Amino acid sequence: MPALGSMIRTLEQLAKDDVSSMGVLGRSIMHDNALTSRVLRVANSAIYNKGISQVTTVSRAAVVLGFDVIRNICITAKLLTSLLESKNMSESVYHRLLKLMANSFQSAMLTKMMLAEHDEELQEEAFIAALLYQLGESAFWSAAGQQADELDSLLNKCSDNMCRLTTTREYLGISFNQLTQGLARNWGLGELLMKSLVNPDARTPEVRTIFLANKLSDAMAGGEDSSAELQRRLQQGAELMQLTPGEFKKRLQYCLEDTQRLTTDYGAKVLMEYLPKNGVLNELASPPQYQIREPNISGLLEKLRQLTSLAQDKADFNQVIQIALLGMLDGIGLDRCAVLLLSPNRKRLQPRIALGDDAELMKQHFALEINEETQLLKYCLERQLPCWSGKNAPEFPPAGSLLQRTLPELGFLMAPLRVENKIIGIFYGDRANSNRDITQAEFDSFTHVAQLANLCFSLAFRSL
């Protein structure tokens, strides 16, 4: 905890120095190899690195992503490391700490998601405030030894929040909230955290969001043991973002997936078990209403004709992509489709253009990692062949971890995006929202559109 407090003070001081903060930031943590490694892994993750070149130093990451982002990555990494590596905890206390840390991390991600329409500086400040919202309690469980065991035993006898609050205050003489306030003042953790702790009912968007994200995270983890509580918090979140409950639920699902990916990047896989899963939302909130796109043969033929014409005219990249995706979307009748381009290190696919349902969310969150667990994706890229996952699909390598996060179990389509003989990305399509099966004929049409688009690219390339 002292090391964590010292690093946070250093980062806060650097934040006030616009001239030298970037270089000093890199030097101030480079002596901590484990921290530096975590920071770079997160900075190069799909959540933060949107297809730009890989960064190899902390100071370079601060230049590319911004000082506020890297400062918060440093604080988050150090907080997780400091608490997870605490020693001499009983198993019961350790599980309590893991659950609390998972809730705090999820709450921080929810806060940032719900403030997406606000400026980045406020998002980052609110992220850290939400992450540290229960710092006092986390510090107690990680460092209090025998006292932690005694209080844990007392709290295990409580059946509701009021009992837990009263028991804690009687045992410690203060509440965990007051303990967090003391750390926040002593470490200089920022005005927003203090406001959210002292006056959680304030009407400012950021304070309301931090409070709601904390309650929503707790409800999804079963903290209130009531689906009615989760339903109420989902409704409040939708109203705060001015969305329908179904649209808010969709954004929340993406946020849960992002949280799971980022937990791994931070080297905190031990928290995965305690993070809320998408399944917790299945029976709650009405689903968003989507347009069902039926296959349109005449529309598909028109797009194929346009692509043939573009092949002769040597059209530009974006024009070909737009027509190809419209053919897949409206001609084949997919729910959504996109072009994903390979990152410079060829280990990730990032959306370039997306059309259809949730297109904007898709561009923000729909990144695919290429590794040994994504055999079907590697098959598509390495063999330069279209592929298909679904109950009607022929024999292909298993989709593996692709189905665990982003892609629908009912099926999806992929085809290589090729210029000459070089693969630069993939075409992607699915029916994730309408839950309709994909047929062999639709896979053949998808393949035809992708191949004709690739021909346009190759002909345009040869004319350069």
Side-chain angles (χ1 to χ4, degrees):
M1 298 306 292
L4 175 61
S6 175
M7 193 203 72
I8 291 177
R9 288 193 196 94
T10 300
L11 291 172
E12 292 300 326
Q13 291 171 0
L14 291 176
K16 301 172 184 177
D17 182 357
D18 296 331
V19 178
S20 61
S21 58
M22 298 296 190
V24 176
L25 173 65
R27 293 193 296 273
S28 66
I29 70 167
M30 65 185 299
H31 64 279
D32 189 333
N33 292 331
L35 176 60
T36 300
S37 175
R38 280 190 171 90
V39 169
L40 291 176
R41 188 162 62 243
V42 173
N44 285 302
S45 69
I47 306 298
Y48 286 102
N49 191 320
K50 301 298 183 181
I52 58 178
S53 299
Q54 190 169 21
V55 293
T56 56
T57 66
V58 174
S59 55
R60 174 60 183 164
V63 171
V64 173
L65 300 178
F67 180 83
D68 289 339
V69 172
I70 296 300
R71 177 186 61 183
N72 287 353
I73 292 175
C74 289
I75 292 175
T76 305
K78 192 66 176 179
L79 175 69
L80 293 173
T81 302
S82 299
L83 296 179
L84 289 174
E85 293 180 354
S86 300
K87 306 297 182 182
N88 303 320
M89 275 183 284
S90 66
E91 184 175 354
S92 177
V93 170
Y94 185 60
H95 286 306
R96 187 182 288 274
L97 175 62
L98 291 179
K99 181 180 179 181
L100 184 65
M101 291 174 64
N103 281 6
S104 295
F105 193 47
Q106 184 64 75
S107 177
M109 294 291 287
L110 289 172
T111 297
K112 189 170 182 178
M113 180 271 288
M114 287 192 283
L115 291 172
E117 300 302 317
H118 296 260
D119 64 79
E120 186 175 341
E121 184 177 353
L122 179 62
Q123 290 180 43
E124 294 301 328
E125 185 181 7
F127 176 94
I128 285 297
L131 181 72
L132 302 178
Y133 194 74
Q134 300 184 83
L135 177 62
E137 183 175 357
S138 299
F140 174 81
W141 295 123
S142 69
Q146 182 179 347
Q147 290 178 309
D149 292 333
E150 292 173 359
L151 180 56
D152 175 61
S153 179
L154 293 172
L155 293 180
N156 285 335
K157 300 174 184 178
C158 292
S159 59
D160 55 62
N161 279 339
M162 184 56 66
C163 173
R164 286 187 281 270
L165 289 171
T166 303
T167 301
T168 300
R169 187 180 290 275
E170 289 177 352
Y171 184 85
L172 294 178
I174 60 171
S175 67
F176 283 135
N177 181 284
Q178 290 172 307
L179 189 56
T180 302
Q181 289 181 42
L183 286 172
R185 288 194 191 93
N186 188 261
W187 290 2
L189 296 182
E191 184 179 345
L192 180 55
L193 177 58
M194 287 301 300
K195 283 182 179 179
S196 63
L197 292 167
V198 176
N199 189 16
D201 296 323
R203 304 305 298 170
T204 58
E206 58 271 26
V207 173
R208 290 174 62 201
T209 301
I210 292 168
F211 176 79
L212 177 58
N214 186 269
K215 293 296 183 182
L216 184 54
S217 178
D218 188 55
M220 285 191 293
E224 297 290 337
D225 194 28
S226 169
S227 61
E229 170 69 8
L230 178 53
Q231 181 70 73
R232 184 165 73 93
R233 298 303 180 185
L234 286 171
Q235 184 64 40
Q236 290 175 346
E239 292 173 357
L240 184 65
M241 295 189 71
Q242 298 182 336
L243 300 171
T244 66
E247 289 169 336
F248 179 75
K249 177 183 172 183
K250 191 72 177 180
R251 297 197 182 208
L252 186 56
Q253 288 173 327
Y254 276 114
C255 185
L256 298 187
E257 293 170 1
D258 286 347
T259 304
Q260 292 174 25
R261 283 195 288 267
L262 206 55
T263 299
T264 301
D265 290 327
Y266 272 112
K269 285 187 177 180
V270 68
L271 298 183
M272 292 283 282
E273 178 184 347
Y274 300 88
L275 290 171
K277 307 297 188 292
N278 276 344
V280 76
L281 304 173
N282 285 346
E283 303 302 322
L284 299 171
S286 58
Q289 298 300 309
Y290 296 108
Q291 171 191 357
I292 302 298
R293 298 177 179 85
E294 297 295 342
N296 182 342
I297 299 302
S298 62
L300 176 61
L301 290 174
E302 173 60 22
K303 297 305 176 187
L304 291 172
R305 185 194 66 76
Q306 292 178 19
L307 287 173
T308 302
S309 177
L310 290 177
Q312 298 170 346
D313 296 338
K314 300 178 177 58
D316 67 43
F317 181 86
N318 287 334
Q319 190 177 8
V320 173
I321 291 297
Q322 193 74 18
I323 292 176
L325 293 184
L326 285 172
M328 295 171 180
L329 190 70
D330 298 322
I332 300 174
L334 300 177
D335 290 349
R336 59 182 186 173
C337 53
V339 159
L340 287 76
L341 298 184
L342 282 164
S343 63
N345 63 5
R346 304 183 72 81
K347 292 183 179 180
R348 182 188 307 142
L349 286 159
Q350 202 83 28
R352 168 71 179 271
I353 300 174
L355 297 180
D357 300 339
D358 305 313
E360 288 304 314
L361 285 176
M362 199 174 184
K363 284 191 283 189
Q364 295 173 24
H365 300 280
F366 198 88
L368 300 179
E369 302 291 340
I370 303 168
N371 52 49
E372 293 303 320
E373 297 179 355
T374 56
Q375 296 179 39
L376 185 62
L377 182 56
K378 292 185 68 178
Y379 173 91
C380 176
L381 294 170
E382 293 175 359
R383 299 201 181 190
Q384 302 189 18
L385 293 173
C387 55
W388 166 25
S389 173
K391 73 175 186 178
N392 298 318
E395 191 71 24
F396 281 114
S401 63
L402 290 174
L403 293 180
Q404 297 173 11
R405 291 177 177 168
T406 306
L407 307 190
E409 292 187 20
L410 278 176
F412 55 87
L413 303 163
M414 293 188 296
L417 194 164
R418 183 172 56 244
V419 177
E420 290 286 87
N421 290 318
K422 183 178 181 181
I423 300 295
I424 65 171
I426 64 168
F427 291 95
Y428 173 88
D430 67 32
R431 286 176 172 155
N433 296 316
S434 61
N435 292 323
R436 295 172 296 157
D437 294 326
I438 297 170
T439 67
Q440 179 69 51
E442 289 161 349
F443 173 61
D444 293 341
S445 296
F446 178 85
T447 300
H448 189 176
V449 174
Q451 289 174 338
L452 192 50
N454 286 336
L455 178 61
C456 292
F457 299 140
S458 295
L459 292 174
F461 179 81
R462 290 173 191 171
S463 68
L464 296 178

